[in-house]
Amino acid sequence: MEIFTHLEKYDYEQLVFCQDKNSGLKAIIAIHDTTLGPALGGTRMWTYESEEDAIVDALRLAKGMTYKNAAAGLNLGGGKTVIIGNPRTDKNPEMFRAFGRYIQGLNGRYITAEDVGTTEQDMDLIHLETDFVTGTTSYAGASGNPSPVTAYGVYKGIKASTKEAFGNESLAGKRVAVQGVGNVAYALCEYLHQEGAELIVTDINKNAVKRAVDAFGAKAVDPNDIYAVDCDIYAPCALGATINDHTIPILKAKVIAGSANNQLQTTNHGDIIHEKGIVYAPDYVINAGGVINVADELVGYHSERAMKKVEMIYDSLERVFEISRRDNIPTYVAADRMAEERIQSVRNSRSQFLLNEQHILSKR
């Protein structure tokens, strides 16, 4: 991999390699863009097959955070960390404290949070070395479990998507097929149930399915059958890439809106569902509640204020749908365009400010 060629091609700002021999830390911090503010993105711990795979993942995830934060209206850029190792067997306190010192050395250019393979307790260890971390446990003055907040944002996003598809936002009587019933999806089901939606659920975890059936009167189906059920809304809340060549022909839903990441197997699948007239809520827009929530910690966490900001996911999706209609483009393209326009607007303002400063100095 020609690293500088890749960084230049996709306009990354910085790639940092962190090593600590005593703790076994091998971490990669990728900072994609800080136009809107410091880069915020979680720390993922994973057993990558190669160092190059880890680099590619860090870069991909960092760029995704730039778009997610921009689309969410946050004054934050995009970054991400990957730690190479098995999160079940390779963790130790010294590793995360060492990593915290590396973050501190970036002097606020990058702020981290928990992600796949890391926990609130790991963030507490990082917090011993730096203040540039969010998602710590509540005793450290943080926001706690982000799942209910993420679910609330997805619920608001489903309402906006329903309005786009059916002309009104009411979910009463709407049949919603929820793929995966983990922490976020269970909280989402509660919101949907309270509004009178009919739930169809699936999960490889039978206990999670039973919990949803007992609590919400949901209908359970086999994981392989969820795509073809008769429903109004398909909510992917577990696996990525469930919008693909196999599922699109059998989907009956008029709306796709859920909490899963990377829902489209390829961008081409976003084009296909657009042509079929299915309303798709781009994943990084609708599932931004968690990052909006932890971002509020940076100004002194206030739950009511954070939830008000999460509600704006509804407005963000309305804007995405408006751009999609205006330019006759798929919603995944419209979401990217919305984020890019916001970043470019700030860049232009900054450039104009510098030109004005230079003009003033030249007159002196």
Side-chain angles (χ1 to χ4, degrees):
M1 183 181 190
E2 295 184 359
I3 290 177
F4 276 107
T5 300
H6 189 89
L7 297 183
E8 182 179 6
K9 180 178 180 180
Y10 298 102
D11 202 19
Y12 287 87
E13 294 180 8
Q14 193 170 4
L15 193 63
V16 183
F17 294 88
C18 312
Q19 185 277 142
D20 182 70
K21 184 177 180 180
N22 291 332
S23 66
L25 174 71
K26 292 181 176 62
I28 301 161
I29 303 171
I31 297 175
H32 177 246
D33 189 285
T34 58
T35 301
L36 299 179
L40 173 66
T43 293
R44 175 171 297 192
M45 189 169 185
W46 197 252
T47 50
Y48 294 94
E49 291 187 5
S50 69
E51 293 177 2
E52 183 167 331
D53 285 348
I55 295 170
V56 169
D57 201 31
L59 292 170
R60 177 183 63 84
L61 293 166
K63 185 177 180 182
M65 288 306 302
T66 294
Y67 282 77
K68 174 175 278 194
N69 292 337
L74 300 174
N75 295 320
L76 293 164
K80 204 78 171 187
T81 294
V82 299
I83 295 176
I84 300 172
N86 188 323
R88 294 183 178 181
T89 60
D90 295 339
K91 283 184 182 181
N92 59 73
E94 292 75 19
M95 172 183 290
F96 289 98
R97 294 198 63 166
F99 179 56
R101 293 192 289 274
Y102 277 108
I103 294 175
Q104 181 65 20
L106 291 171
N107 199 30
R109 277 181 52 79
Y110 171 67
I111 303 164
T112 199
E114 66 178 289
D115 199 278
V116 175
T118 60
T119 66
E120 296 172 21
Q121 289 71 31
D122 298 329
M123 298 306 108
D124 286 344
L125 292 168
I126 293 171
H127 191 228
L128 294 173
E129 303 291 343
T130 183
D131 288 332
F132 301 118
V133 57
T134 61
T136 54
T137 56
S138 56
Y139 77 81
S143 56
N145 181 6
S147 295
V149 186
T150 302
Y152 183 64
V154 175
Y155 163 66
K156 285 292 184 179
I158 288 176
K159 288 178 71 66
S161 305
T162 299
K163 180 181 177 182
E164 180 70 15
F166 300 102
N168 68 79
E169 66 175 36
S170 175
L171 298 174
K174 292 289 190 297
R175 291 169 61 84
V176 186
V178 183
Q179 183 251 342
V181 204
N183 291 334
V184 172
Y186 183 84
L188 171 63
C189 286
E190 186 169 8
Y191 284 117
L192 298 173
H193 175 69
Q194 287 173 352
E195 196 166 326
E198 298 179 25
L199 299 174
I200 305 163
V201 299
T202 196
D203 198 296
I204 58 173
N205 183 338
K206 293 182 179 179
N207 289 331
V209 171
K210 184 177 185 304
R211 184 185 177 205
V213 169
D214 292 344
F216 311 122
K219 176 184 176 182
V221 299
D222 184 83
N224 293 322
D225 296 336
I226 193 70
Y227 312 108
V229 297
D230 185 14
C231 66
D232 302 295
I233 300 160
Y234 167 57
C237 295
L239 301 173
T242 63
I243 311 303
N244 54 52
D245 290 337
H246 170 70
T247 61
I248 291 175
I250 60 176
L251 280 173
K252 296 181 175 64
K254 293 184 179 180
V255 171
I256 298 173
S259 65
N261 289 313
N262 304 316
Q263 294 172 22
L264 303 174
Q265 188 173 57
T266 69
T267 56
N268 181 57
H269 295 113
D271 300 330
I272 294 171
I273 58 176
H274 174 70
E275 292 167 3
K276 290 172 70 70
I278 297 173
V279 174
Y280 168 59
D283 44 32
Y284 69 78
V285 180
I286 194 172
N287 68 14
V291 71
I292 294 171
N293 191 53
V294 297
D296 196 73
E297 295 178 21
L298 303 176
V299 291
Y301 185 70
H302 189 282
S303 61
E304 185 176 344
R305 179 180 61 206
M307 293 297 270
K308 286 290 184 183
K309 292 177 182 177
V310 171
E311 287 181 0
M312 294 178 68
I313 288 174
Y314 186 108
D315 304 308
S316 296
L317 280 170
E318 284 200 313
R319 176 63 178 151
V320 168
F321 299 143
E322 178 188 337
I323 295 171
S324 175
R325 290 193 305 271
R326 181 194 73 193
D327 299 343
N328 191 26
I329 55 176
T331 54
Y332 80 90
V333 178
D336 286 355
R337 191 165 295 180
M338 180 178 73
E340 289 162 358
E341 286 176 358
R342 182 165 180 252
I343 293 168
Q344 192 58 48
S345 175
V346 172
R347 283 178 178 163
N348 292 342
S349 298
R350 189 174 295 168
S351 297
Q352 188 60 51
F353 174 80
L354 292 173
L355 286 172
N356 292 341
E357 286 288 295
Q358 290 172 0
H359 178 71
I360 292 170
L361 289 172
S362 68
K363 294 293 186 180
R364 291 179 179 176

